[in-house]
Amino acid sequence: MRIRVGAATDVGRARERNEDSLLAAPPLYAVADGMGGHRGGNVASALALQVLSRVGDGSWDRLADQVKEANRAILERAQGDRSLSGMGTTLTAAFMEGDVIHLAHVGDSRAYLLRDGELHRLTEDHTLVHRMAMEGRITEAEEETHPQRSILIRALGVEEPVEVDEVPVHALAGDRILLCSDGLHSMVPEEDIRRTLEAASDAQEAADHLVELANRAGGLDNITVVVLEFEPGEGVDLADRAARDSVRDGGGDGGDGGARATEPDSGAPPSADAESAPAAPDVPPAPAGSDITQIGAVPIPPGRVRRDDTAVMRAPGGTTTATMSAPTTVPPTGTFQRNRKRRRRRLLAWIGGLVLLLVAAGVGFRLYLDTQWFVGVDGGKVAVFRGIPSEFIGAKLYGLVERTDLSAAAVQPLRSSWQDLQGGLDPVSSKAKADLIVTNMRARLTEVRQTGAEKSTSG
Ligand code: MG
């Protein structure tokens, strides 16, 4: 199979900087969407792809392991640098092995397959709202517009070990594969993605048009796409743009996204902030012996640092700004966000547990009600009920079983223990026992009536 590769990444129209990264290094292709305060998102997504790129040719079976390796690298890097604490990233990767596309996926970036004019989603979003949709708590339509749809339940850089989804797909000639960050799929309806992917004359045009669509729709987030186009033949055609925007390993550490060879076409003139171009002073060298080393070959592009002045949080919770010149005063937005996610996860676990408990209690209570019987009044007559003589939030906890011909008004005064008859007597544990109470009532009533008749005849 011959593969044409196109790719594009763009800051969008609302964010100050691009925290997405892409990898176009045959046979491996990937997108990563970083998050975390200040510059963490940048570092996380670039670092993830650099580590991933070391998976090596022909070793698709190590793909998931390498994603886990990337997870470890991000966690380690964040531990060693307070300003990076809490950073994380999504990662959706495709490794080509012959005609098979091996996908590895964590987070809410997506892989799509366009085949015979139909768009198929190949990955599942690891988001809270997607889980809610899976559980039937919200509809799929609600999932697409839910205000909390960017809350991730799985990402790299959060905890160890990370679970990695793996999907193998057999490519056919004519197929197009799209990897994209949520900056595309959250802004552009899938039908428009489908149409654009299908109509483009080649992979790079598709990538460019998709980014354009997302920007036209508002461009509220960074947008990154990688498009693979399959045709009969051999080899790989890597578009210049794809090669240019791809993260490069080159011994880089992913610092400040500097591993990307060139800025996307969205920035200020490159000369604008030339004085701030050198690597930020707070980027420490990687620990000795680590396979993650300082950026060497690839200089940090001018303009990058200034564009990082403000950090826009990815998750709901508002926009946070931070100043580059005073890293120690930077609110740990990444940590905050992460803690919030942890808290949410814990809260969800609690709620889940509580719901289970309530359901179990409800079922148990229901079973208990079925074993209870009591004597009460229905339509002025003594009656036997199943359940207990109570209500719960307006729902009766009992049901009528049998209404007798005994007048409640006649029976009630006969014994003090029957005084509560109107509201239902104390429950008993079988119908036979309830029947016995009714039998006693009947006997007592007969007795009283006979005594009365004797009295009246003798008197
Ligand atoms: Mg995004």
Side-chain angles (χ1 to χ4, degrees):
M1 202 74 78
R2 179 167 189 80
I3 308 174
R4 290 182 192 280
V5 184
T9 183
D10 192 86
V11 69
R13 294 198 169 154
R15 299 292 165 97
E16 293 291 330
R17 55 190 180 146
N18 193 347
E19 298 192 324
D20 286 359
S21 293
L22 70 85
L23 183 68
L28 185 59
Y29 310 91
V31 298
D33 178 350
M35 69 205 84
H38 206 38
R39 59 201 177 88
N42 251 174
V43 175
S45 67
L47 178 57
L49 295 189
Q50 284 165 15
V51 174
L52 184 73
S53 71
R54 295 169 202 155
V55 68
D57 286 0
S59 40
W60 65 268
D61 54 328
R62 284 209 63 249
L63 185 61
D65 286 342
Q66 200 63 21
V67 174
K68 290 173 187 170
E69 190 62 45
N71 182 50
R72 270 190 292 276
I74 294 168
L75 284 166
E76 268 172 32
R77 182 100 160 76
Q79 262 170 10
D81 185 340
R82 194 170 154 254
S83 73
L84 296 177
S85 132
M87 68 175 174
T89 184
T90 72
L91 196 160
T92 301
F95 189 103
M96 286 306 306
E97 188 225 15
D99 291 352
V100 183
I101 311 155
H102 297 274
L103 293 172
H105 165 72
V106 176
D108 68 347
S109 297
R110 288 181 185 171
Y112 287 99
L113 165 68
L114 180 78
R115 175 173 290 172
D116 300 329
E118 275 183 45
L119 191 69
H120 308 268
R121 202 188 295 174
L122 302 175
T123 50
E124 225 170 75
D125 293 350
H126 299 139
T127 59
L128 184 61
V129 293
H130 182 67
R131 187 196 275 174
M132 284 161 73
M134 291 287 96
E135 290 168 353
R137 289 151 65 195
I138 57 171
T139 65
E140 268 181 49
E142 283 168 334
E143 181 187 343
E144 294 303 315
T145 56
H146 199 283
Q148 294 183 319
R149 64 186 181 280
S150 59
I151 294 180
L152 296 178
I153 54 175
R154 223 198 281 174
L156 300 190
V158 180
E159 60 194 359
E160 219 183 348
V162 66
E163 199 186 330
V164 181
D165 289 356
E166 290 180 89
V167 189
V169 182
H170 265 272
L172 301 177
D175 282 352
R176 283 183 176 182
I177 289 276
L178 165 67
L179 310 178
C180 65
S181 63
D182 67 337
L184 176 70
H185 67 72
S186 69
M187 299 303 300
V188 182
E190 284 187 343
E191 174 50 26
D192 293 352
I193 292 178
R194 188 200 68 76
R195 205 180 305 130
T196 306
L197 197 55
E198 188 179 32
S201 61
D202 64 40
Q204 186 57 48
E205 188 184 296
D208 290 335
H209 285 184
L210 287 168
V211 166
E212 205 180 301
L213 262 189
N215 272 328
R216 249 189 274 148
L220 296 181
D221 194 1
N222 307 143
I223 310 141
T224 300
V225 299
V226 173
V227 178
L228 310 179
E229 187 184 0
F230 296 86
E231 26 183 84
E234 290 293 316
V236 177
D237 259 344
L238 193 62
D240 291 347
R241 270 290 299 281
R244 199 193 71 181
D245 285 352
S246 175
V247 155
R248 289 172 197 174
D249 189 15
D253 73 340
D256 293 336
R260 192 172 296 143
T262 321
E263 276 294 87
D265 298 339
S266 53
S271 60
D273 304 292
E275 77 283 357
S276 54
D282 57 338
V283 179
S290 160
D291 61 343
I292 304 156
T293 48
Q294 194 72 9
I295 296 173
V298 187
I300 294 180
R304 165 58 80 185
V305 174
R306 179 57 61 90
R307 289 229 262 119
D308 283 351
D309 275 356
T310 51
V312 182
M313 267 176 62
R314 181 163 170 277
T319 301
T320 308
T321 57
T323 310
M324 188 72 172
S325 56
T328 49
T329 65
V330 172
T333 49
T335 314
F336 168 68
Q337 188 184 347
R338 193 63 57 205
N339 287 344
R340 237 169 61 150
K341 271 182 198 156
R342 284 215 180 106
R343 271 204 301 275
R344 263 172 214 274
R345 222 173 14 213
R346 215 172 294 153
L347 185 68
L348 271 177
W350 270 104
I351 292 172
L354 200 66
V355 166
L356 268 181
L357 207 68
L358 285 174
V359 168
V363 169
F365 190 57
R366 177 71 236 181
L367 290 174
Y368 164 75
L369 287 183
D370 283 349
T371 65
Q372 297 295 300
W373 306 79
F374 70 93
V375 176
V377 179
D378 185 72
K381 301 290 186 187
V382 173
V384 174
F385 297 86
R386 193 171 195 170
I388 57 174
S390 297
E391 292 188 354
F392 180 70
I393 327 176
K396 291 176 180 170
L397 300 181
Y398 55 87
L400 177 67
V401 175
E402 193 180 316
R403 187 160 73 173
T404 70
D405 56 352
L406 280 177
S407 157
V411 166
Q412 198 169 317
L414 298 181
R415 269 193 192 156
S416 60
S417 60
W418 296 344
Q419 266 169 13
D420 295 331
L421 185 61
Q422 205 62 39
L425 301 183
D426 287 343
V428 290
S429 59
S430 70
K431 168 108 180 350
K433 285 179 185 169
D435 286 343
L436 188 62
I437 294 171
V438 176
T439 306
N440 285 340
M441 286 176 168
R442 203 182 292 282
R444 181 68 185 145
L445 188 63
T446 311
E447 188 187 346
V448 168
R449 278 185 180 153
Q450 273 172 3
T451 315
E454 279 161 18
K455 269 182 189 164
S456 60
T457 45
S458 63

